[in-house]
Amino acid sequence: MELLSGADMIARFLQDEGVEYIYGYPGGAALHIYDALFRQDKVKHILVRHEQAATHAADGYARTTGKPGTVLVTSGPGATNAVTGIATAYMDSIPMVVLCGQVASHLIGEDAFQETDIVGVTRPIVKHSFAIRHPSEIPGVLKKAYYLASTGRPGPVVVDIPKDMTAPTERYEYVYPKKVKMRSYNPVTRGHTGQIKKAVELMLKAKRPVFYTGGGVVLDKASDGLTDLVQTLGFPITTTLMGIGSYPQSDKQSLGWLGMHGSYESNMAMHHTDLIIAIGARFDDRVTNNVSKFCPTAKIIHVDIDPSSVSKTVRADVPIVGPASSVINEMISLVQGKKITSPDALADWWQQIEGWREERLGKLYEPSRSGEVLKPQEVIEALCAVTRGEAYVATDVGQHQMFAAQYYKFDKPNRFVTSGGLGTMGFGFPAAMGIKQTYPDDDVICVTGEGSFQMMMQELSTCKQYGIGVKIINLNNASLGMVRQWQDLNYKSRHAQSYMESLPDFHLLTQAYGFTAITVSTLDELAPALERVFADKHELVFLDVKVDPFEHVYPMHVPLGSMRDMLLSKTERT
């Protein structure tokens, strides 16, 4: 029998669970745990410079590996600083376990120093939370936390650990729990066969079908199956922002992604479709625009692991609750050897789609002329070319995020990492750090803007400490670009607080941390600069690109319109 303190149980459990990295920041209530981690060498602790960065780094790790990210923070401000990252993971269904130190149990409720009811604070933004009541519970509770975070619809789980639960003087029996029993939690492992048969019948009869797939396909590692199914049927496919890469974007059946800033052809196809096959997508408001005008002629098949997401905003004609991978595999076996009822109608549908594609060819943006300031779209296209579309790209939130999604072509899942649901500025850089540590020999890029980068720029210090060679591409338009775009469109260009009037010299800032910085402002300078950026995979380089401050992101949904109601440029709309 092995006797361990609560803190040593946590350290040992993390080893037994196969946790590689724990991202965190120490403080009084977590010091027993930190001491236990110091006395082992299997789990590597990464000391960030702000707790929000710890959650985003763990999030980037989780999104690209499929394993839960792990965070350790102290009580009070340590825990509340992690709230934004917990909410970011929750909105995008990302598996994460957040271990929070707490004041000693006899002080809870006394307004003790650095006390916050973090279970109460995070209740709306976690999948579940636990508070440790006795050290002997720790292995069982942690096993449940990792199981809950990574099964069913994934999400963050908070574990609140009072300091006296980890005291080195009290020891209890430690056994690593190999199994989990939770009476009230039984995530589905396959869809209803009858409903899947109904769905396949509709698919074979459809004349204007469209696949609409989201982050659920990526999370459930169902991309290969999806690609087989879509190519077997010959249907067009569009994805959400979170679903980018779930189907190869360079394939002719891909219409790109849809919604607020989605491609013209994908939004037009969705509006005119007679059958939507939605898999692992939740009909988010950034996709649907006005729900009452959404896809008026379409029947809807909706596949999702989370029963509460099905028919939540848009009613499904064939609801299927189940994991994307198993439902897709069952659909593949049902369509094999079967013929679609109206091949001529499908051919006409493709002709219509090709017409929409051609309408926009060469009209996506006005390229810069020699010596003129760069267009942000050109930077992303050059970035895609130099990395052959194979990099991991983590973005912050704003115009640069939309340009990255529109102009970098992703053929693999888990390569585009962004905050979709919460839209968290400051996400991209720490997420890229979490990815780069896991995939040190790959190109990992943070596409950011000067507004977002300043929210987490202190993490340059973390990169210095651990030798994390992220490539930072700053599309610098000296403003909060997306805010300014909305002000141009809706507030007669009254740019209230959207201009950044006192930006740092990013060159000097980067050099202060001991890294290389390059500044670029014209197309002629861009190619040699990118060559230098990617010369060494293990070196952090900051590329500050001065881009056209007046450029907008198009297409853009007309507010309260249907899927086909779009602004196509500053002067043109559908």
Side-chain angles (χ1 to χ4, degrees), residues 54-56 58-59 62 68-71 85-86 89 94-98 145 149 155-158:
T55 52
H56 293 332
D59 188 318
T70 305
V71 177
I86 295 169
I94 305 304
M96 186 188 292
V97 174
V98 183
V157 176
V158 162

Side-chain angles (χ1 to χ4, degrees), residues 400-468:
H400 59 269
Q401 173 193 29
M402 296 296 113
F403 289 133
Q406 287 177 337
Y407 292 95
Y408 197 103
K409 296 301 171 204
F410 295 91
D411 282 347
K412 294 177 188 165
N414 309 99
R415 296 286 167 140
F416 179 65
V417 173
T418 198
S419 169
L422 198 65
T424 306
M425 290 174 71
F427 170 83
F429 182 28
M433 287 161 42
I435 300 165
K436 182 64 181 175
Q437 280 190 296
T438 316
Y439 301 102
D441 298 325
D442 285 283
D443 287 321
V444 179
I445 303 165
C446 166
V447 174
T448 187
E450 72 295 328
S452 288
F453 185 69
Q454 289 185 92
M455 292 198 172
M456 282 285 133
M457 64 187 182
Q458 75 283 342
E459 297 309 315
L460 285 166
S461 175
T462 308
C463 292
K464 180 78 177 161
Q465 181 172 344
Y466 298 99
I468 304 172

Side-chain angles (χ1 to χ4, degrees), residues 148-268:
L148 281 166
S150 55
T151 54
R153 180 181 181 171
V157 176
V158 162
V159 184
D160 194 37
I161 310 167
K163 189 169 184 179
D164 52 324
M165 298 295 127
T166 57
T169 48
E170 288 187 39
R171 293 167 184 241
Y172 297 89
E173 186 183 352
Y174 173 81
V175 178
Y176 174 71
K178 292 213 165 54
K179 285 188 181 159
V180 180
K181 269 191 182 167
M182 296 184 77
R183 214 174 41 188
S184 57
Y185 178 70
N186 296 300
V188 289
T189 53
R190 55 190 304 265
H192 187 285
T193 301
Q195 291 294 88
I196 296 170
K197 280 181 179 162
K198 263 191 217 170
V200 167
E201 277 169 31
L202 279 180
M203 284 151 71
L204 295 172
K205 283 183 199 160
K207 294 179 176 168
R208 300 187 307 281
V210 174
F211 275 94
Y212 152 58
T213 61
V217 173
V218 177
L219 288 165
D220 204 37
K221 300 181 177 64
S223 298
D224 289 347
L226 175 72
T227 304
D228 285 353
L229 180 62
V230 171
Q231 292 182 350
T232 301
L233 289 163
F235 292 176
I237 175 168
T238 177
T239 74
T240 65
L241 194 69
M242 300 305 299
I244 285 176
S246 58
Y247 185 88
Q249 287 192 309
S250 59
D251 186 82
K252 61 183 188 301
Q253 282 171 247
S254 169
L255 309 184
W257 52 281
L258 79 168
M260 169 74 80
H261 294 293
S263 72
Y264 175 73
E265 57 268 33
S266 67
N267 284 341
M268 293 300 278

